[in-house]
Amino acid sequence: QLAIQVSGVESLADYAAVLNALEAQPTVRELAVVGVGAAGLRLRVRLRGDAAALVRVLQRDGRLQPETGAAGGDAGLRLRLGK
């Protein structure tokens, strides 16, 4: 499982865009919302493959971008919703 924190989520439409972007990725097997707050949307994801593969796919997709230094690992992955 991978913890993901997504910033830039400011509306219900943003929330839906994040879920749709992640669910559309072939590397994402399961997706669960852990929480929503001022810091953004917190998710728990089961992957096919590793976090680096997800980051590569997301960078090509363009809707969600990794934040600087957000490579994954125990701390999880930090993403930002592009607008």
Side-chain angles (χ1 to χ4, degrees):
Q1 286 191 345
L2 176 67
I4 298 179
Q5 175 85 29
V6 184
S7 62
V9 179
E10 300 170 355
S11 68
L12 188 55
D14 290 346
Y15 175 89
V18 169
L19 296 184
N20 289 336
L22 287 169
E23 289 172 342
Q25 304 310 320
T27 55
V28 175
R29 188 172 19 169
E30 286 180 39
L31 175 65
V33 175
V34 176
V36 180
L41 182 59
R42 293 184 320 276
L43 307 164
R44 178 76 52 193
V45 178
R46 285 189 192 272
L47 299 174
R48 292 179 182 91
D50 60 10
L54 177 61
V55 168
R56 286 190 300 274
V57 171
L58 291 174
Q59 286 176 321
R60 284 193 299 268
D61 180 76
R63 292 179 280 182
L64 294 170
Q65 292 297 315
E67 292 188 338
T68 304
D74 291 341
L77 181 62
R78 296 181 57 83
L79 303 171
R80 176 151 191 81
L81 178 63
K83 300 207 178 173

